[in-house]
Amino acid sequence: MDKRRIDCVLIAGGKWHDIDFARLELLKLLAEDQRVRVRVFEDYEAIDAIEAADILVSYTCDVIPSLAVQERLRAYLAGGRRWLALHGCNSVLRFLENGKVDAPDWAPHFMETLGTAFVAHPPVGPFRVEVTQPDHPLVAGIEPFEPEDDELYLSRPTAEIETLLHVDFEGEAPAFVADQWSARRHPLMYLRRWGDGAILYNALGHCRGHLDMQPKVEWFPKVQRGAWRCPEYYELLRRGIAWTKAGLR
């Protein structure tokens, strides 16, 4: 058994999601390897801790690092580190007076690093996740699956990526400024190379509890767990965590 200690930073924070649930589930997955020691933060400003870590995992929504931290994150990746980024990490959200939600292009540098920028999603509901590269080891053996209450992320590309999972979508996202969508393939899981390192982004994994839409909604009526209800998602997370560790030298 390899007895090398592996230091991990988990960034879990942001808005409109059950961050407590996601944090706990990710910590349980990371704890499956007793070599992994985890420090947890709510944002990326703990950059000294990130730079000292072997691997980085993040689950956030509307959390944007300062420009100086963005540059240091790029250097961290370029030096050969790997980052597993989940769900809303590529989001900037603003609620407008007309009731719509906007996703303004306010963090282009960060979104270029991540490889996509969130734009909108249709109403929460079931959709079919397709496997783009069935022979790739990160998704090999995963059959198409249907989360019952996830957010289908419609994002725009900001860099060259290697798509591993996708969804084909045509329709409306009525809650968002960008509400009309013609038929197109959207990446749900992909690799973004950066220097000697890389980001593995998985846009699945929506979760929301009763209190997570405050102050917009005092009591959200239904708990949502998205792809967290699917065994396929946990397998993808385990493979993603293993991928971050496989990059260590």
Side-chain angles (χ1 to χ4, degrees), residues 164-193:
L164 303 175
L165 300 176
H166 70 271
V167 63
D168 294 314
F169 177 78
E170 178 182 15
E172 297 183 347
F176 289 83
V177 170
D179 56 0
Q180 302 296 317
W181 292 79
S182 56
R184 184 179 147 196
R185 175 164 292 182
H186 296 270
L188 291 179
M189 178 170 151
Y190 62 82
L191 283 167
R192 161 75 161 120
R193 310 288 178 179

Side-chain angles (χ1 to χ4, degrees), residues 217-249:
V217 178
E218 189 67 21
W219 182 264
F220 194 76
K222 184 178 180 182
V223 171
Q224 297 170 337
R225 289 293 179 252
W228 298 95
R229 302 184 193 275
C230 303
E232 294 90 348
Y233 184 60
Y234 278 88
E235 176 62 20
L236 292 168
L237 291 176
R238 288 187 172 95
R239 293 188 192 186
I241 291 169
W243 168 87
T244 64
K245 295 182 289 187
L248 297 177
R249 297 172 182 174

Side-chain angles (χ1 to χ4, degrees), residues 1 6-12 22-41 53-59 82-84 86 228 234 237-245:
M1 176 182 176
I6 300 173
D7 289 308
C8 172
V9 162
L10 170 62
I11 309 297
R23 182 193 301 115
L24 179 58
E25 292 304 295
L26 291 168
L27 284 171
K28 288 191 290 187
L29 289 167
L30 288 163
E32 291 179 354
D33 184 344
Q34 295 184 24
R35 299 172 302 158
V36 176
R37 304 287 86 189
V38 185
R39 296 184 69 188
V40 182
F41 300 92
D54 299 304
I55 60 176
L56 175 62
V57 179
S58 62
Y59 184 103
R82 292 183 174 185
W83 175 5
L84 175 61
L86 302 171
W228 298 95
Y234 278 88
L237 291 176
R238 288 187 172 95
R239 293 188 192 186
I241 291 169
W243 168 87
T244 64
K245 295 182 289 187

Side-chain angles (χ1 to χ4, degrees), residues 25-247:
E25 292 304 295
L26 291 168
L27 284 171
K28 288 191 290 187
L29 289 167
L30 288 163
E32 291 179 354
D33 184 344
Q34 295 184 24
R35 299 172 302 158
V36 176
R37 304 287 86 189
V38 185
R39 296 184 69 188
V40 182
F41 300 92
E42 292 184 341
D43 58 41
Y44 302 94
E45 301 308 307
I47 188 61
D48 290 343
I50 293 172
E51 290 173 334
D54 299 304
I55 60 176
L56 175 62
V57 179
S58 62
Y59 184 103
T60 67
C61 178
D62 199 13
V63 175
I64 305 301
S66 65
L67 186 56
V69 168
Q70 291 180 39
E71 292 289 5
R72 290 170 68 177
L73 282 169
R74 286 187 171 197
Y76 174 81
L77 292 168
R81 294 300 194 239
R82 292 183 174 185
W83 175 5
L84 175 61
L86 302 171
H87 197 48
C89 293
N90 69 344
S91 64
V92 177
L93 302 176
R94 293 298 178 268
F95 286 78
L96 306 181
E97 291 183 0
N98 64 5
K100 293 273 190 175
V101 182
D102 194 16
D105 187 17
W106 287 354
H109 196 64
F110 189 52
M111 300 311 169
E112 182 189 21
T113 302
L114 291 172
T116 61
F118 171 83
V119 179
H121 67 73
V124 168
F127 57 88
R128 182 177 171 90
V129 177
E130 302 285 355
V131 180
T132 316
Q133 296 192 53
D135 294 329
H136 195 286
L138 282 169
V139 294
I142 300 290
E143 297 295 329
F145 62 100
E146 294 190 9
E148 67 178 71
D149 57 353
D150 212 315
E151 292 174 338
L152 192 169
Y153 267 27
L154 308 172
S155 300
R156 56 180 175 81
T158 60
E160 184 176 344
I161 60 175
E162 180 184 359
T163 302
L164 303 175
L165 300 176
H166 70 271
V167 63
D168 294 314
F169 177 78
E170 178 182 15
E172 297 183 347
F176 289 83
V177 170
D179 56 0
Q180 302 296 317
W181 292 79
S182 56
R184 184 179 147 196
R185 175 164 292 182
H186 296 270
L188 291 179
M189 178 170 151
Y190 62 82
L191 283 167
R192 161 75 161 120
R193 310 288 178 179
W194 193 272
D196 292 332
I199 298 169
L200 176 61
Y201 200 107
N202 190 327
L204 297 168
H206 172 65
C207 56
R208 179 173 293 146
H210 292 302
L211 303 176
D212 296 315
M213 286 301 292
Q214 291 183 358
K216 296 295 181 182
V217 178
E218 189 67 21
W219 182 264
F220 194 76
K222 184 178 180 182
V223 171
Q224 297 170 337
R225 289 293 179 252
W228 298 95
R229 302 184 193 275
C230 303
E232 294 90 348
Y233 184 60
Y234 278 88
E235 176 62 20
L236 292 168
L237 291 176
R238 288 187 172 95
R239 293 188 192 186
I241 291 169
W243 168 87
T244 64
K245 295 182 289 187

